[in-house]
Amino acid sequence: ELKEKLRNTEIQVNKQDGEIRSLTTTTEEIRDDLNNNYYDRTMVNEIVQTAETGVTNTFSEAGGNNVFRNTGLWFKNESEDKETNPYEFWVGQVVRGRNDQSSTKNSMMLQSGKLSQEQEVPNGNYAISFYYHKLISLATATVTINDRTYNLDSENVTQFYTGQKDSDTEEYIIFPVEVTAGHLKIEFETDTNNSVEVYDLMANKGTVKLAYSQNENETTTDTVNISKGITITSSDVDVKFKADADGIRTLDNNNNTITDFTDKGMTTNEAVIKNEAQIVGILRQRVGNQVWDSLVI
């Protein structure tokens, strides 16, 4: 019939309709992939008030899409090989640093030798990214991801990520990662202690790098207790903040005082004063490229 012929003709020539069906199918595949392969990040804020301890506010963040473990160096190794492998899931020497630009406020200071982590993962595509900063220009540093090695030679803060292309040639500078043997391994190597700082190391399933998150099995917690004074602790750092009526203090995990502010002044292990300081009648100040000491009368 004419109506049927018209319908058939319309279906054959209407490529736009075919693209819509293709787009619908692709959207459904992406939705299924997200539901099956990625985890939710859960954040919980809990306030508890008791007569004994006052008010305690605990903020916990759990879950994430990171394949690698202990990327913030929160968990120290307590096994027999802790001298050679001081942090859990890592093989090799590394020192935990502090960096305010890091999502965890922690960083990895690479030491002379190799530092590696390997995880068993399903085969498929993965994206790896991190920030790094080469601190010693004469040092040699590399990162190896499965079987490909890249130089870490930028003396500015630089983001390294797999799948990066040259803007002119569109050729890969850093190749995408495709796992075919069920293992994902990253290995840093340098010839000088503290030569490179690395932070926000992330490995996620898929070809697109995601924002940094922790591993799905890890939880970080910040706790504020208000009772006789205010105490702030965090699982991310080894320092505790305590404010009482007689002063403000920062303490380490063993409750040793690092810095103490009281009505008589300040006592601290280290102090950084950038421009000017007056100490017992002597004024020290920066003048151009020089530092001048003068007597204050």
Side-chain angles (χ1 to χ4, degrees), residues 95-198:
V95 172
R96 185 170 74 176
R98 293 289 297 165
N99 190 316
D100 290 336
Q101 302 303 315
S102 167
S103 298
T104 65
K105 303 301 181 183
N106 294 336
S107 64
M108 297 188 293
M109 304 296 295
L110 301 187
Q111 305 299 294
S112 179
K114 296 180 179 180
L115 175 71
S116 65
Q117 182 175 150
E118 184 172 3
Q119 296 291 338
E120 293 185 3
V121 295
N123 291 339
N125 296 317
Y126 289 83
I128 295 178
S129 62
F130 58 85
Y131 288 93
Y132 79 92
H133 180 196
K134 188 177 180 182
L135 303 173
I136 300 177
S137 58
L138 296 179
T140 300
T142 61
V143 60
T144 300
I145 300 172
N146 281 359
D147 57 350
R148 294 185 184 273
T149 300
Y150 305 93
N151 292 323
L152 301 178
D153 51 14
S154 175
E155 296 184 27
N156 299 315
V157 176
T158 302
Q159 186 179 39
F160 175 103
Y161 60 92
T162 55
Q164 182 180 2
K165 292 183 178 181
D166 186 282
S167 58
D168 296 325
T169 64
E170 289 297 314
E171 295 180 353
Y172 284 115
I173 300 173
I174 304 171
F175 286 86
V177 177
E178 182 178 2
V179 174
T180 58
H183 290 268
L184 184 60
K185 182 178 180 180
I186 189 168
E187 182 177 79
F188 298 98
E189 184 173 6
T190 183
D191 58 0
T192 308
N193 286 341
N194 299 315
S195 59
V196 179
E197 182 181 32
V198 175

Side-chain angles (χ1 to χ4, degrees), residues 22 36 50 172 188 195 223:
S22 175
N36 294 328
T50 66
Y172 284 115
F188 298 98
S195 59
T223 301

Side-chain angles (χ1 to χ4, degrees), residues 225-265:
N225 177 259
I226 303 174
S227 54
K228 187 178 180 181
I230 301 173
T231 303
I232 303 175
T233 59
S234 173
S235 60
D236 288 353
V237 296
D238 293 331
V239 178
K240 177 167 57 176
F241 173 89
K242 189 172 179 62
D244 297 311
D246 63 342
I248 300 173
R249 300 168 180 82
T250 56
L251 305 97
D252 62 19
N253 283 338
N254 296 318
N255 287 323
N256 297 314
T257 300
I258 301 172
T259 301
D260 190 1
F261 297 92
T262 66
D263 59 342
K264 294 182 179 180

